[in-house]
Amino acid sequence: MLTRRLFVASGAAAFVAAPAIVRAQAKWRAQPFSLGVASGDPSPDGFVIWTRLAPVPLDAHGGMPIESMPAAWEIASDEGFRSIVARGSTVARPELAHSIHVEVAGLKPDRRYFYRFEAGGERSPHGRARTLPLTMSRPQRLRFGVAGCQDYQSGYFTAYRHLAAEDLEFVYHYGDYIYEYGPDNPAVRQHTGDLLMSLGDYRRRYAQYKSDSDLQAAHAAHPFFMTFDDHEVRNNWAGDFDDDDHVTQKVFRRRRQAAFQAWYEHMPVRRRQFPVGSAIQLYRGARFGNLARLDFLDTRQFRTNQPCSDGYKTACAEVYSPRAHIVSADEEAWLIRNLRRNDTHWNVIAQQVMMMSLDCRKDAAPGKILNLDSWAGYEVQRKRVLARMRGLNNVVVLTGDEHTNYAGLLHDRDQPVAAEFVGTSISSDGDGDDMPSFGAGYLANNPQLKFINNQRGYLTCDVTPDEWRTNFMVLDRVSTPGGQLSKRATFAMARGEPALRLV
Ligand SMILES: [Fe+2]
């Protein structure tokens, strides 16, 4: 277990340096690993390790000079770093905000490892990562976390402190890692800077969020599979469209390019996710032996603009347009191929926005109200994907975006074909209540929906060859530090039968 000690061990006092290194230490105005360390995208033989040199996180360039800085990294099989199994050197470049991404390979499968960095005589706190089991192995259990939606202004990241203490193989992040807005008033904690526009703006916002010690603890404790949703760029953007700012697609792509660059710089992702112009290869997969295949989707970058001018509305004709899509044709074909292969006990679709088409009526409105920013606004593709799940009886969809916990069933025509678990938020929308004001109406209007809760927190998933369990972990508050965690509910699905059982 990582201890708190690691996160207060900053500053030169905690570092015992060799004489040659002491001279280099004079470079630092403050310790450069102020944004912590992270690991991500584990495979059976390695993972990415990440950090960023930023002695003064909110200053331009994190307080770094505009020059490259050499850095070293180490991987150990023990927390005391007595047994180093890999090491190397790299360069932190100003072009990439002095971020460091190392793709470590050649490690043993299904093992825990520890990693740390060194630059200019300073040593980083260490992080813990874990390789995946071999593709052809037969693991009997998997436990992982699901989190996202972390509006800094809405509350503390206490959920991450608890997530760090969980025993997990990895964490899937469904996006909204930052929010792009300027300062709210009042706010639990205020954003520095205005509405994000330039690369420097986005970098500074990541630096503010990543200065949070709870968030750092979660990254140091577990490897993450990172995706993004809308707020990493702009509220409800869709492909090349940003309707909130009424700009042309050409203009929006400039901003998206800045946002994507900053996202890459701050995420423990592989070289394959290096942005090319205003594009990123976000969707990708992972396999946990023969127990689970995970497909991480990109439901933002390729979608057609939201139908009916977006919002919560009754459907207009665009909702049923065969040209409307939320994932690209290539991405859909890739997903369908993976589902058709079906060579794992479970097929997991880890994505961002709700796949159930909920009736979101809050009162006695005459017709069904849809969330047009979700899959419900793209009904032809939604139906097509659901039809491909029929007969598999092992599909679980993991979702974020809603800032509310939901458990429900996905249907192909009138047959249930998959379970969908929607994770709440780390902090977005503040403390919340067990049952939201709209909860009773939603449950009454949506028989496929089995559970609603509107507190903050995260999910943990316990997976065995025969049963899937999702635990809804919630906090009593995020408006002040020290929120208490409890397990609000556990829902189970047996493999072979798309049905939900309250445990
Ligand atoms: Fe969100």
Side-chain angles (χ1 to χ4, degrees), residues 24 27-28 53 64-65 67-71 90-94 98 100 119-120:
K27 283 185 179 175
W28 301 115
L53 307 179
M64 289 291 288
E67 57 188 52
S68 291
M69 162 78 72
T90 184
V91 178
R93 298 188 184 283
H98 297 95
I100 295 170

Side-chain angles (χ1 to χ4, degrees), residues 323-376:
R323 285 186 305 279
H325 56 86
I326 191 165
V327 297
S328 70
D330 285 349
E331 187 178 358
E332 182 185 336
W334 164 84
L335 174 65
I336 298 306
R337 265 199 314 277
N338 294 336
L339 290 176
R340 192 185 292 148
R341 194 178 307 122
N342 193 31
D343 57 357
T344 49
H345 292 305
W346 296 94
N347 280 296
V348 187
I349 302 178
Q351 49 101 49
Q352 293 79 35
V353 292
M354 199 189 273
M355 202 175 271
M356 288 183 281
S357 180
L358 284 194
D359 183 346
C360 303
R361 256 179 287 193
K362 292 178 180 171
D363 47 37
K368 183 175 171 178
I369 302 282
L370 302 178
N371 173 5
L372 298 169
D373 184 55
S374 74
W375 283 79

Side-chain angles (χ1 to χ4, degrees), residues 158-175:
T158 315
Y160 272 131
R161 176 64 57 184
H162 292 286
L163 189 70
E166 299 267 5
D167 184 16
L168 307 171
E169 299 281 339
F170 55 80
V171 175
Y172 161 58
H173 195 289
Y174 47 73

Side-chain angles (χ1 to χ4, degrees), residues 381-392:
Q381 190 174 51
R382 194 183 84 88
K383 281 216 166 100
R384 205 161 51 223
V385 169
L386 290 174
R388 306 314 286 261
M389 295 179 190
R390 191 184 267 253
L392 294 175

Side-chain angles (χ1 to χ4, degrees), residues 307-320 358-361 365-372 376-377:
C308 333
S309 305
D310 204 359
Y312 285 77
K313 291 176 186 160
T314 44
C316 63
E318 284 174 75
V319 167
Y320 307 102
L358 284 194
D359 183 346
C360 303
R361 256 179 287 193
K368 183 175 171 178
I369 302 282
L370 302 178
N371 173 5
L372 298 169

Side-chain angles (χ1 to χ4, degrees), residues 148-151 174-179 229-231 400-403 425 428:
C149 287
Q150 48 202 58
D151 181 1
Y174 47 73
D176 287 359
Y177 193 95
I178 55 164
Y179 282 70
D229 192 20
D230 56 331
H231 291 287
D401 177 57
E402 298 277 342
H403 309 168
S425 61
S428 302

